[in-house]
Amino acid sequence: MRHGRRPGSRGQSLAETALILPVFLLLLMGLIDLGRAVFAYSTVGEAARQATRVAAVNQLSDSLACDQSRPVETSSAATAHWSALECAIAAGKTIGVTADEVTVSYSTPSGTSLVCQTAPTVSLSVGCYATVTVETTWSPITPIVAGILGPIHLSSTSTMPIERVFP
């Protein structure tokens, strides 16, 4: 009895690999894109939460830092080193969040007589709501998936009551 290849089966494994490899690579890249999308969605949510936490204790918008090695609260506006906007940008840095994609606002809770406004003058009280919205666009890196899905808009909003009015 003779073992080995049948006549005419030469190159069969090459043909099978050529048929399966593109499908396998598409599935692999699709899984990588799915992981990237989940990471981007999680990062947008975390950026909104971190910025809201800062906005609840520090309402300054002109600080150009988010120095996590120092406490949020400072004794004066001149030495402030935290702002909600900058903290949202720092938390979303890995996915490219910019200042144009972050909105910080303050609102009055329903059923209260609190005055919560930032324009024309700042008038905030403990109990007002600080709300931060982070919006960005995510795009798949796999061309076929990008052609099917296109860019995806990601958005997260976080709201927290103001715990301390500063400055």
Side-chain angles (χ1 to χ4, degrees), residues 26 28-45 92-98 101 134-156:
L26 180 62
L28 180 67
M29 292 303 291
L31 285 174
I32 290 172
D33 271 339
L34 177 64
R36 289 181 60 244
V38 169
F39 175 76
Y41 182 73
S42 175
T43 302
V44 165
K93 188 175 190 176
T94 56
I95 60 169
V97 172
T98 63
E101 298 170 325
V134 179
E135 300 177 282
T136 191
T137 302
W138 174 84
S139 298
I141 57 173
T142 306
I144 294 174
V145 175
I148 295 169
L149 296 178
I152 296 173
H153 178 77
L154 300 175
S155 177
S156 182

Side-chain angles (χ1 to χ4, degrees), residues 49-63:
R49 282 187 296 276
Q50 284 187 18
T52 304
R53 179 67 190 126
V54 172
V57 294
N58 182 353
Q59 295 79 39
L60 290 176
S61 60
D62 55 355
S63 175

